[in-house]
């Protein structure tokens, strides 16, 4: 159901292109603020296991925006 939640938001407000590497361990500080803060909140409020499973599923379905968002959150998690 998390993938469907992401798709619903993505239809209304597509995930913005991000710069790499991460500037900080906070996705909001990295640029997911304002109208795009929903995306940061979406992944940062998941348990790590849920986040990783979402990443694997998005990768399997080759949905690049969700793969990138999950990967960015995982990388930020390891920076802490």
């Amino acid at each position: 159901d998390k993938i469907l939640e992401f798709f619903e938001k993505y239809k209304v407000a597509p995930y913005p292109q991000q710069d790499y590497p991460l500037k900080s361990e906070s996705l909001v500080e990295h640029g997911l603020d304002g109208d795009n803060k929903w995306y940061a909140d979406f992944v940062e409020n998941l348990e790590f296991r849920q986040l990783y499973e979402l990443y694997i599923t998005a990768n399997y379905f080759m949905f690049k925006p969700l793969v990138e968002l999950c990967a960015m959150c995982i990388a930020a998690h390891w920076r802490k």
Side-chain angles (χ1 to χ4, degrees):
D1 56 57
K2 286 294 182 184
I3 289 181
L4 295 177
E5 184 179 345
F6 182 89
F7 277 123
E8 289 299 316
K9 176 66 176 182
Y10 187 78
K11 287 189 318 187
V12 176
Y15 177 70
Q17 181 67 32
Q18 296 296 305
D19 296 326
Y20 299 100
L22 290 176
K23 298 172 187 164
S24 75
E25 59 193 42
S26 167
L27 300 183
V28 171
E29 290 176 17
H30 182 67
L32 288 177
D33 53 2
D35 292 339
N36 297 316
K37 188 174 182 313
W38 182 92
Y39 288 106
D41 292 341
F42 177 73
V43 289
E44 288 178 339
N45 291 328
L46 296 174
E47 293 179 19
F48 189 77
R49 181 182 175 108
Q50 288 178 301
L51 175 64
Y52 188 71
E53 288 174 357
L54 186 62
Y55 170 79
I56 295 296
T57 304
N59 191 46
Y60 177 80
F61 288 110
M62 293 183 264
F63 188 56
K64 186 178 177 180
L66 186 53
V67 170
E68 288 181 359
L69 178 61
C70 291
M72 191 167 60
C73 189
I74 292 169
H77 174 79
W78 288 110
R79 288 187 74 166
K80 293 180 183 178

